[in-house]
Amino acid sequence: MPALIRYGIAAIVAGFMVFAGVALAGAGHGWVAGGFGCFALAPICFVAWANAVGARPSRPRAVATAGLALVACIVVAVATSFEGFARFVHHWSAVGIGGILVAGFAYLNALLVSAVTIKRAG
């Protein structure tokens, strides 16, 4: 796959992660920890996708992106507990299934792509 297309796909996914962060944070009235977690995951997703759609994906890079994504998810879970789970539940009751889909895309994206890349590279 040409580098332009490869990095274009990765940039589009990273852009979606930034938009997911804005959507989840909800101008400070939403799930703030989840929103900021998306901003941290955007560059990780860029590297994961650029590696995944390459002709010869790198297994060490895929393991690194999976590890970094997992650490980011753990940090978001801890930050959510500090923020208060009541605020988290209130946000999800307000946004419904759309918010769940956005969060699912955001937080499973890098993990799943990295896992598939590890399998593909090995």
Side-chain angles (χ1 to χ4, degrees):
M1 177 171 294
L4 182 64
I5 294 173
R6 177 177 159 195
Y7 292 120
I9 291 169
I12 288 169
V13 172
F16 282 142
M17 289 299 294
V18 171
F19 287 131
V22 171
L24 290 175
H29 301 293
W31 181 31
V32 177
F36 283 110
C38 287
F39 298 142
L41 280 170
I44 297 168
C45 285
F46 179 85
V47 173
W49 275 88
N51 186 34
V53 297
R56 292 182 314 224
S58 166
R59 185 183 188 108
R61 191 173 297 145
V63 170
T65 56
L68 288 171
L70 187 60
V71 167
C73 290
I74 290 169
V75 168
V76 167
V78 170
T80 299
S81 71
F82 284 121
E83 185 179 53
F85 282 112
R87 186 173 179 151
F88 172 75
V89 171
H90 176 70
H91 174 69
W92 290 115
S93 66
V95 296
I97 191 73
I100 293 170
L101 292 174
V102 168
F105 164 77
Y107 285 97
L108 295 178
N109 182 10
L111 292 172
L112 292 176
V113 168
S114 295
V116 168
T117 307
I118 290 169
K119 179 74 174 163
R120 184 174 164 229

